[in-house]
Amino acid sequence: MDPIHQQEQEHLSHVYQKLVEIREDLDTTLNTTQKDAARDLRQMSEEIRPDFGGADETIETLAAIETLNSVIDTYNQYHDFTVEKLGRVEILLRQPYFAKVTLKMRPGRPSRDVYIGAAGITDKDRTPLIVDWRSPVAETYYNQEMGTTSYQVDGKKRTVELELRRQFDITRDKLNLYFDTTVAIEDSLLLAALKRQHTEKLQAITATIQREQNVVVRHEDVPVLLVNGIAGSGKTSVLLQRIAYLLYQQRTTLTADQVYLFTPNEMFGRYINTVLPSMGEHNPQVFTWDSFLKALGLADHASGAHNNPKSLKKLEEQLASLELYEDDFKAISVEGTTLIKPAQVASSVAKFSQFPVGPRLIALAKDELHTRLERRLGQMAHNDEIQEEMLSLDVEQQLEVFGRTISPSDEEEVLARTREFLNWRFASAHEVIESASWLRIDRIGMRILNASALSGAECVYLRLLITGAGEKNIKFVMIDEVQDYTETQLMVLGKYFSRAHFLLLGDSNQAIWEDTATFGQIERIFSATHGEGAVSTCKLLTSYRSSPEITALFTSLLSEEERGQTSSVQRGGKKPEFFEVAADNKDTERAEYLQTMKSLIEQAQEFDGLTAIVCTEKSRVRWLAKQLEGVFAEGGNDAADGATDGVAGNGATQAKLCTGVKVLTSHDSLPAKGVVLLDLALAKGLEFDQVIVADAQEEVYKADGISRRRLYTALSRAMHHVMVVSQGKMTPLLSKLL
């Protein structure tokens, strides 16, 4: 047996046994702590004798309750810490580590072996068994520099000698293989991973992060990081690894709910939702553009994504001269009770008319409205009916409102308690004031733009201009497929999250819509919101998804300069296949085209993987699905025996056609295998073992820029095999390859 393999297996067995022991200790701790907590809380609860008969008794009772709550909080914190550590151990028990580096930290000192895994763990003596892949020292593995290399610790550079870089293929406590590697192209774990078939969930790439990807993952924290990467370069995986890295580096100040992730559609959100949990991290808050507007209460507005950005600029330009009228304000009300009338809101704003409409004016008006609200509640406290309502509260209600029982002894005390009662009942009125929802933003915007309605984008932007009230608690915003966002969308997001740092990832060659922002425009937009020099850029130029044959095909659509910068590290595979179905008679041509599609689908159904038929638009998906239903039914395909409904219009489809092809919508999850039919926008960001590019004729893919980018996107979804089918003459973008 290979002595190195045997030595590494012995080390693995030792570490694995330690992990098992740690898990058992944590399980015991959880069980013991739970019993101790239950016993202590029961005893303490029995010792508390609620007594609200007098001031001293009430104070003593509340102090006892506070002590009990403090004990509960301590137990909860310890429980959460133990559960979090147990979660890390469970992750490591599936694969304790994936790499080892041997480092000479200082001249004259013995070299040190460092084992790197998806999480870090120490033994009882606090000696590291495994270091987290995000730890500073692990950077020596990802640098892929033998000999002298370095890593950063607390902003200081540490130089070390990398003597050994070893990778492992491990399943639980069994060492399958090990590799000693030096440079990225010889990365054996990477090459093994690239042989895999499609999975219905995106897989973590922690063990195979390459050097150019690592530059993005471990990039210094900057206001805006803009990444332009070719198809298949691992942009989405890198984005998720970046989130995991930030959560680790800033673990004392950053939580997952302070990170927003914008995805192209709901299906894509489900596709990536297991990556971070597999590394022991929580998922961030995930949004699409539409769900973001919905969360802001603008679901009933048109999206505005494709509005001309000039409308936002006009709102900005007109703000300095904007006048507000009484009809621009709403009453401040809570549960049907009007507390401040529109005219009173208007007069509060008019009090500061020397200031132009904007955040300063609104801030001063808010202070005035809070003062008016206090005066209004003070007046209401004298109302006999309200006083009677306060006095009729039972003990439970008194505890909820006042935190104690009350027994007013004179009119002055009744008045004071009534005021407390009103403050409790109408506490949300202060939130209404702070949110500036008393402004009729729609009405103001429609007047400025001379429009009959305001879109969601315009509404958000105008509210930001007038109130300055963007999101202040979100620290990072990540936008995937940024090339599909318009100037309008990015102007809104940049301004709404002006305090957050952004990671923007995309591929300029996958901009499949006419009016989306260029990378140059993206830089200008975020320079405006985050300051000149705020945007740092990176490129990802290596394809890890597609075979060299497929990579050569889709990069043939790029300029000569761009082609020269790109590469694939996959092993050779199948050559792309082209099917030009042309005939003099259009009916004959259509029939032969559908028969060709049927044949390819039947072949794909024999394949143990996932095949995608990609059409440019939803309307073409519906047409093809309907035509294939008829062709398969006529041919007596076995799958027709289990036929369900026909294809519904307006983008809604049943789960499966009688062809055995599943038509996907954004509400579906991606299957592990089979044949699916979907439009190009939905396919964005996804990968498939095989892709059939349907309708590749000249009428669909013209010899223009947008068609070139759409075809590039469709072809680059394929990992191992791509088939291109045209109904009529093949697109001139590919005709030279026939």
Side-chain angles (χ1 to χ4, degrees), residues 62-332:
L62 292 175
I65 292 173
E66 182 61 31
T67 300
L68 178 60
N69 288 337
S70 177
V71 172
I72 292 172
D73 288 343
T74 301
Y75 272 122
N76 285 340
Q77 289 172 8
Y78 186 70
H79 175 272
D80 291 346
F81 169 80
T82 306
V83 168
E84 186 272 333
K85 187 173 182 180
L86 183 58
R88 281 187 281 128
V89 173
E90 293 291 357
I91 289 170
L92 293 174
L93 282 170
R94 294 194 288 271
Q95 184 190 45
Y97 45 81
F98 55 79
K100 163 187 171 180
V101 289
T102 301
L103 302 172
K104 183 172 282 295
M105 310 301 285
R106 294 177 185 174
R109 294 285 187 89
S111 299
R112 173 186 167 195
D113 289 339
V114 178
Y115 287 84
I116 303 168
I121 202 80
T122 59
D123 61 16
K124 292 178 181 178
D125 301 322
R126 303 187 66 82
T127 302
L129 290 174
I130 304 160
V131 302
D132 193 295
W133 67 274
R134 297 164 290 185
S135 67
V137 71
E139 189 172 357
T140 59
Y141 169 75
Y142 295 109
N143 285 343
Q144 298 175 338
E145 295 173 336
M146 299 302 294
T148 303
T149 188
S150 64
Y151 60 95
Q152 296 281 331
V153 182
D154 298 328
K156 296 180 180 178
K157 183 178 178 180
R158 290 202 62 179
T159 301
V160 296
E161 290 291 317
L162 176 60
E163 297 179 342
L164 177 72
R165 181 177 183 269
R166 181 168 290 164
Q167 299 175 310
F168 302 105
D169 177 5
I170 291 173
T171 306
R172 294 193 175 274
D173 60 347
K174 181 184 178 184
L175 174 59
N176 303 315
L177 292 168
Y178 75 89
F179 317 94
D180 288 348
T181 58
T182 55
V183 294
I185 200 66
E186 297 172 3
D187 193 319
S188 303
L189 276 187
L190 172 66
L191 295 175
L194 294 178
K195 292 178 182 176
R196 78 190 191 284
Q197 288 189 337
H198 152 84
T199 53
E200 68 271 29
K201 295 288 186 180
L202 185 66
Q203 303 298 297
I205 62 167
T206 308
T208 60
I209 294 172
Q210 297 303 290
R211 188 169 182 177
E212 70 171 5
Q213 295 171 326
N214 190 52
V215 169
V216 178
V217 173
R218 294 176 183 263
H219 200 285
E220 64 177 319
D221 189 6
V222 293
V224 183
L225 182 57
L226 176 60
V227 181
N228 192 355
I230 69 164
S233 57
K235 294 183 294 297
T236 301
S237 294
V238 165
L239 179 152
L240 295 169
Q241 305 290 141
R242 172 70 171 170
I243 294 174
Y245 178 76
L246 290 169
L247 289 171
Y248 177 85
Q249 291 293 313
Q250 303 181 27
R251 54 193 176 278
T252 60
T253 58
L254 178 66
T255 57
D257 61 2
Q258 293 174 305
V259 181
Y260 272 22
L261 170 57
F262 283 83
T263 65
N265 50 62
E266 294 172 359
M267 177 189 287
F268 192 79
R270 289 188 290 275
Y271 177 57
I272 64 174
N273 65 6
T274 60
V275 174
L276 286 167
S278 74
M279 292 185 280
E281 300 291 357
H282 295 291
N283 278 321
Q285 300 191 61
V286 181
F287 291 91
T288 62
W289 170 257
D290 288 341
S291 67
F292 168 68
L293 292 180
K294 184 178 180 181
L296 296 180
L298 297 168
D300 58 340
H301 287 62
S303 157
H306 298 281
N307 283 152
N308 191 318
K310 289 181 179 178
S311 68
L312 302 188
K313 292 170 183 173
K314 184 175 181 180
L315 292 173
E316 205 160 349
E317 291 164 358
Q318 295 294 315
L319 197 64
S321 58
L322 178 65
E323 291 186 38
L324 298 176
Y325 306 101
E326 186 174 322
D327 287 346
D328 293 331
F329 303 101
K330 293 186 285 189
I332 295 173

Side-chain angles (χ1 to χ4, degrees), residues 541 555 558-567:
L541 299 171
T555 57
L558 306 181
S559 68
E560 187 174 343
E561 180 183 357
E562 289 175 304
R563 281 200 305 275
Q565 295 176 334
T566 61
S567 63

Side-chain angles (χ1 to χ4, degrees), residues 47 363 484:
E47 292 170 2
D484 284 340

